[in-house]
Amino acid sequence: MYEQEVGKLQEIIDDSRRIVFFGGAGVSTESNIPDFRSADGLYQQKYKYSPEQIVSHTFFVHRTDSFYEFYKEKMMFLDAKPNAAHLKLAELEDAGQLTAVITQNIDGLHQAAGSKNVLELHGSIHRNYCQNCRKFYDAAYVKSSEGIPRCSCGGMIKPDVVLYEEGLDSDVINRSIRAISEADTLIIGGTSLVVYPAAGFIDYFRGKHLVVINKSATAREVGAELTIAAPIGEIMGRITV
C-alpha cells in the first residue's frame, strides 16, 4: 500500500539538499498523543469549558487551577516516545539533507529523536518558568505538582507554550520564514493548515518540491507536487537515507 507514493517521495528526497519539514499535531498521533481537530481530537471532546477557552491567556490568568487540571491531563504526555516520522527526520538532518524542522507541537519529540535545528512555533511543555523570578522548571516538576505549580520563591509557574491570545516569538517566526524561503523541498506533515499565522509561512516557499502528508484534507490548497493521505510515520518510516 502507498508503494507508488512512497517511491515518488523517495525520488524527491534523493533530489533534495535543503529539506525543511513543517509539521503539526498529526506527527505525534502515532506516538499516542491526541491531536486537536480530528474526529477523536481534543476539540471534539466535551468539557465544562471548550479546549479553545482553556488554552487561552485569559483562562490561564483567571482560572489557573482549571487550566492546569486540563493541561496536565490532556497536553503533557511525558512517557511518549518518538515515532518513525520523528526518527526519519532526525536521520535526514544527520545526513545533511534536512536543514530545519518547524513544528506546531509542544511535546519535544523531535529533539528526543535527535533533531537539532527544531523551531518550536508554539513553545514546549519542557520549559517552564516562574513568573516572579524566572527560575526554570522541567515538565516532570509541573506534571507532578499538586494543583497550580509554584516556585521555591512562591511565584506561579507558567509553561513556555503559546496560548491563544498570545503572540508567537518573533525570532522563531523569522528563522522559520528564512528556512522555508531557502529550502529546495518543503514537506508539510500532520497539519490541517488551519492555525495562522503559522499556516501562512508556507507562502514563502519558492523551492522545487512541495509535499503534503496528512491523513485528512488540508484547509487550504497549496499546489503540492505530491499529496499522500496517510499516517506520516507509516510513510516516512519507509524512506531510505
Side-chain angles (χ1 to χ4, degrees), residues 162-198:
V162 180
L163 304 176
Y164 285 116
E165 305 165 349
E166 295 179 344
L168 304 187
D169 182 282
S170 59
D171 180 58
V172 176
I173 290 175
N174 292 333
R175 289 166 63 198
S176 299
I177 290 172
R178 188 181 312 119
I180 290 172
S181 66
E182 294 174 352
D184 59 9
T185 294
L186 177 62
I187 301 175
I188 300 169
T191 175
S192 55
L193 295 177
V194 167
V195 179
Y196 280 80

Side-chain angles (χ1 to χ4, degrees), residues 27-35 77 79-81 83 86 109:
V27 178
S28 294
T29 53
E30 289 165 277
S31 296
N32 297 315
I33 295 179
D35 63 6
F77 296 89
D79 296 328
K81 298 289 188 286
N83 61 51
H86 299 106
L109 290 182

Side-chain angles (χ1 to χ4, degrees), residues 6 12 17 24 42-43 54-55 62-63 67 76 82 84 91 97 114 119-120 132 138 151 163 167-168 181 203 211 232:
V6 171
I12 290 172
R17 291 297 173 265
L42 289 180
Y43 288 177
I54 297 172
V55 293
H62 295 289
R63 295 185 177 274
F67 168 87
M76 299 187 80
E91 195 178 339
Q97 286 181 268
L119 300 171
E120 295 172 311
N132 183 37
D138 64 15
C151 175
L163 304 176
L168 304 187
S181 66
D203 294 335
V211 177
I232 188 167

Side-chain angles (χ1 to χ4, degrees), residues 3-239:
E3 283 82 4
Q4 189 173 346
E5 292 93 337
V6 171
K8 176 63 176 173
L9 179 60
Q10 184 72 62
E11 287 178 17
I12 290 172
I13 287 175
D14 290 344
D15 186 48
S16 305
R17 291 297 173 265
R18 295 187 65 81
I19 300 169
V20 167
F21 179 80
F22 180 93
V27 178
S28 294
T29 53
E30 289 165 277
S31 296
N32 297 315
I33 295 179
D35 63 6
F36 290 86
R37 292 176 172 81
S38 71
D40 300 318
L42 289 180
Y43 288 177
Q44 309 305 321
Q45 299 178 30
K46 301 301 179 189
Y47 305 100
K48 184 178 178 182
Y49 305 98
S50 72
E52 292 101 324
Q53 274 182 289
I54 297 172
V55 293
S56 70
H57 179 81
T58 298
F59 195 92
F60 174 80
V61 170
H62 295 289
R63 295 185 177 274
T64 313
D65 52 347
S66 296
F67 168 87
Y68 267 114
E69 186 179 341
F70 177 89
Y71 178 74
K72 290 182 207 177
E73 181 185 349
K74 300 296 184 181
M75 299 181 74
M76 299 187 80
F77 296 89
L78 304 190
D79 296 328
K81 298 289 188 286
N83 61 51
H86 299 106
L87 295 169
K88 189 61 64 176
L89 291 167
E91 195 178 339
L92 283 165
E93 182 185 35
D94 193 50
Q97 286 181 268
L98 183 141
T99 58
V101 169
I102 302 168
T103 181
Q104 299 173 84
N105 297 339
I106 60 174
D107 50 47
L109 290 182
H110 286 293
Q111 291 93 330
S115 289
K116 297 175 180 64
N117 189 26
V118 182
L119 300 171
E120 295 172 311
L121 295 173
H122 298 154
S124 173
I125 63 169
H126 298 285
R127 297 188 299 271
N128 305 273
Y129 298 95
C130 171
Q131 292 187 299
N132 183 37
C133 72
R134 298 296 294 169
K135 183 178 178 180
F136 171 86
Y137 288 89
D138 64 15
Y141 180 88
V142 171
K143 179 86 169 177
S144 63
S145 62
E146 286 288 330
I148 300 171
R150 295 280 178 182
C151 175
S152 55
C153 78
M156 188 169 71
I157 295 169
K158 182 180 185 295
D160 186 18
V161 299
V162 180
L163 304 176
Y164 285 116
E165 305 165 349
E166 295 179 344
L168 304 187
D169 182 282
S170 59
D171 180 58
V172 176
I173 290 175
N174 292 333
R175 289 166 63 198
S176 299
I177 290 172
R178 188 181 312 119
I180 290 172
S181 66
E182 294 174 352
D184 59 9
T185 294
L186 177 62
I187 301 175
I188 300 169
T191 175
S192 55
L193 295 177
V194 167
V195 179
Y196 280 80
F201 290 178
I202 61 174
D203 294 335
Y204 292 90
F205 178 64
R206 297 290 182 269
K208 188 174 180 183
H209 303 293
L210 179 57
V211 177
V212 173
I213 308 171
N214 197 51
K215 287 204 294 185
S216 58
T218 57
R220 52 176 295 195
E221 183 60 51
V222 294
E225 173 184 353
L226 175 64
T227 300
I228 307 176
I232 188 167
E234 182 181 334
I235 300 299
M236 293 298 293
R238 292 161 66 178
I239 295 300

